[in-house]
């Protein structure tokens, strides 16, 4: 339960990785598992309320509890059948809170104590500050029931404790979310350059190749390498080499669109993934980057150049093959004398999706 709710609250952490594909199978499995446990958690609250009302002959709240139980069972059945539940966790929560209040109105004062786990569940289920906006109206609805059923002193104590419970839960969720964001950045970014890392690159590449296979949505891949980088490290030191890599990534990020992504593949080798871009347009960008690097004077002691290989998924049988083709084009560029870009000819003729020039969308 702790692990599942943790995934629900904090999202993808270091242990489980970060998926860049929306609604990926792993993401859907985690979401189903979290919803399943949340429903079980709320069923623990619902079951004693339904039993108590039924045994005392209070038919209205008993019927409401039974209907809500049937809804829960249907939702659980759909999740267990690997389908999406027709009720989201916030909806389930909103249905449970009125039942608790209804139970209090029928004389079951102890039902108010179920509001404590519900107040904790509000930020936990929503995972955002919106939990406060849902929790506040819940408290406003509960206040009359508290003061009607208990003496003023006890009612004030219960009200203050519920407010504290909601605030502490919200603060904890906010702290966890902030920490999760930091972990997520560590998982997908290269610490030195700030580019996305190799693991994230492999996920993005697989996603782009899948889009090509299913929907013929073209993308271009650029592999690039710093020429004679070992000589830079040997002659000027690794600190100078690190500065070159950071300056290179900054230069690329200034030029590419917001939809494009630069990755550090390994050492001095980088990859740029360009959605909705043909090979010919990617080659234009590759040569522009090559010229910018050559004239940027990254190091006063020597000129820095790069070699690039460009490829699209039409020539590949898999994402790995796509990467090999682009890498082969890169090494042909290096073998031809470096400081140049080579492309793998596309096997399809598609309309240019970006017009006459590659726009900067940043």
């Amino acid at each position: 339960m702790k692990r599942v709710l943790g995934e629900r609250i904090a999202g993808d952490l270091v242990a489980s990785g970060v998926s860049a594909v929306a609604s990926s199978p792993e993401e859907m499995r985690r979401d189903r598992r979290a919803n399943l446990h949340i429903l079980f958690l709320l069923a623990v609250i619902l079951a004693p309320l339904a039993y108590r009302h039924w045994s005392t002959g209070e038919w209205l709240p008993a019927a409401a509890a039974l209907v809500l139980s049937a809804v829960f069972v249907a939702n659980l059945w759909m999740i267990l059948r690997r389908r999406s539940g027709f009720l989201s966790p916030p909806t389930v929560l909103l249905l449970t809170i009125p039942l608790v209040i209804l139970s209090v109105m029928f004389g079951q004062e102890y039902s108010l104590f179920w509001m404590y786990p519900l107040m904790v569940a509000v930020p936990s289920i929503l995972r955002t500050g919106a939990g406060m906006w849902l929790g506040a109206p819940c408290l406003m609805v509960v206040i009359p029931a508290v003061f009607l059923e208990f003496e003023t002193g006890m009612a004030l104590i219960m009200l203050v404790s519920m407010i504290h419970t909601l605030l502490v839960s919200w603060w904890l969720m906010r702290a966890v979310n902030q920490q999760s964001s930091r972990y997520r950045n560590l998982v997908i970014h290269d610490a030195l350059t700030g580019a996305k890392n190799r693991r994230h690159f492999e996920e993005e590449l697989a996603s782009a190749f899948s889009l090509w296979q299913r929907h013929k949505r073209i993308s271009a891949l650029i592999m690039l390498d710093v020429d004679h980088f070992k000589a830079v490290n040997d002659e000027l030191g690794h600190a100078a080499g690190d500065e070159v890599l950071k300056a290179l990534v900054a230069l690329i990020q200034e030029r590419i669109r917001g939809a494009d992504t630069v990755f550090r593949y390994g050492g001095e080798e980088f990859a740029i993934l360009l959605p909705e871009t043909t090979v010919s347009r990617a080659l234009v960008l590759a040569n522009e980057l090559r010229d910018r690097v050559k004239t940027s004077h990254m190091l006063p002691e020597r000129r820095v150049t790069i070699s690039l290989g460009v490829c699209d998924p039409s020539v590949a049988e898999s994402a790995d093959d796509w990467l090999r083709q682009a890498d082969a084009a890169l090494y042909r560029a290096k073998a031809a004398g470096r400081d140049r870009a080579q492309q793998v000819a596309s096997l399809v003729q598609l309309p240019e999706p970006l017009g006459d020039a590659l726009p900067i969308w940043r």
Side-chain angles (χ1 to χ4, degrees):
M1 176 70 76
K2 178 181 177 182
R3 176 176 58 82
V4 172
L5 286 178
E7 289 178 354
R8 181 73 189 179
I9 294 165
D12 298 325
L13 296 179
V14 174
S16 57
V18 176
S19 174
V21 184
S23 300
S24 66
E26 179 60 27
E27 199 172 43
M28 292 172 66
R29 281 194 296 271
R30 283 198 301 270
D31 195 55
R32 279 197 300 266
R33 191 165 60 241
N35 287 350
L36 186 66
H37 283 72
I38 289 168
L39 287 174
F40 276 126
L41 180 65
L42 294 178
V44 171
I45 298 174
L46 182 64
L49 293 181
Y51 173 77
R52 177 66 177 172
H53 287 302
W54 188 265
S55 62
T56 57
E58 296 163 344
W59 305 119
L60 178 61
L66 288 175
V67 170
L68 194 53
S69 298
V71 170
F72 278 19
V73 169
N75 223 33
L76 289 171
W77 180 81
M78 293 182 68
I79 293 173
L80 290 172
R81 298 273 295 179
R82 298 184 179 278
R83 301 176 184 174
S84 297
F86 61 88
L87 287 181
S88 64
T91 304
V92 171
L93 186 64
L94 286 174
L95 290 174
T96 306
I97 289 175
L99 181 61
V100 172
I101 297 172
L102 187 62
S103 298
V104 174
M105 292 173 61
F106 274 81
Q108 295 189 30
E109 295 87 355
Y110 67 88
S111 298
L112 273 174
F113 292 101
W114 288 118
M115 291 301 298
Y116 290 99
L118 291 176
M119 289 297 100
V120 173
V122 168
S124 303
I125 290 174
L126 295 183
R127 295 187 291 178
T128 66
M132 286 295 294
W133 299 109
L134 179 59
C138 292
L139 279 175
M140 295 298 292
V141 173
V142 168
I143 288 173
V146 172
F147 281 91
L148 286 174
E149 299 298 333
F150 296 92
E151 62 179 12
T152 304
M154 177 62 72
L156 287 173
I157 292 173
M158 292 183 65
L159 180 60
V160 170
S161 62
M162 285 183 187
I163 293 173
H164 283 176
T165 301
L166 180 62
L167 290 174
V168 169
S169 179
W170 171 78
W171 178 81
L172 287 174
M173 294 313 105
R174 186 181 179 198
V176 169
N177 285 336
Q178 289 176 346
Q179 189 67 19
S180 174
S181 297
R182 287 193 287 268
Y183 283 145
R184 189 176 293 111
N185 286 331
L186 289 175
V187 168
I188 67 175
H189 286 91
D190 171 59
L192 175 66
T193 63
K196 300 293 180 64
N197 61 21
R198 179 169 178 169
R199 177 177 180 175
H200 195 57
F201 168 62
E202 292 170 350
E203 294 176 349
E204 289 276 324
L205 192 69
S207 175
F209 190 80
S210 177
L211 287 174
W212 163 252
Q213 283 188 313
R214 295 181 181 181
H215 308 295
K216 297 304 177 186
R217 291 180 59 180
I218 198 70
S219 297
L221 174 63
I222 300 176
M223 297 297 295
L224 65 95
D225 186 276
V226 180
D227 298 327
H228 303 294
F229 186 71
K230 185 177 184 301
V232 173
N233 282 333
D234 291 344
E235 294 174 13
L236 303 175
H238 289 279
D242 290 346
E243 291 302 317
V244 167
L245 298 181
K246 289 189 286 187
L248 174 61
V249 169
L251 184 149
I252 294 171
Q253 289 177 332
E254 286 177 2
R255 175 58 187 89
I256 62 176
R257 306 166 300 172
D260 306 329
T261 313
V262 57
F263 307 87
R264 187 179 183 186
Y265 186 69
E268 71 275 17
E269 192 170 3
F270 294 85
I272 308 173
L273 191 58
L274 309 167
E276 307 294 338
T277 306
T278 61
V279 163
S280 59
R281 296 300 178 192
L283 186 62
V284 171
L285 173 62
N287 280 308
E288 181 181 336
L289 291 175
R290 180 181 59 81
D291 289 338
R292 287 192 177 195
V293 169
K294 185 166 57 176
T295 59
S296 63
H297 304 293
M298 293 182 182
L299 292 174
E301 298 86 353
R302 61 179 298 157
R303 188 178 67 174
V304 177
T305 62
I306 58 173
S307 299
L308 308 96
V310 184
C311 183
D312 73 21
S314 68
V315 300
E317 297 179 355
S318 65
D320 290 339
D321 187 35
W322 185 12
L323 174 60
R324 283 193 294 270
Q325 297 267 16
D327 217 30
L330 165 62
Y331 281 96
R332 285 199 300 273
K334 295 179 80 70
R338 295 183 171 84
D339 187 24
R340 65 192 64 214
Q342 292 281 348
Q343 75 174 71
V344 178
S346 177
L347 297 182
V348 296
Q349 294 296 324
L350 295 174
E352 300 291 351
L354 298 180
D356 294 334
L358 190 71
I360 298 175
W361 291 350
R362 288 188 174 277

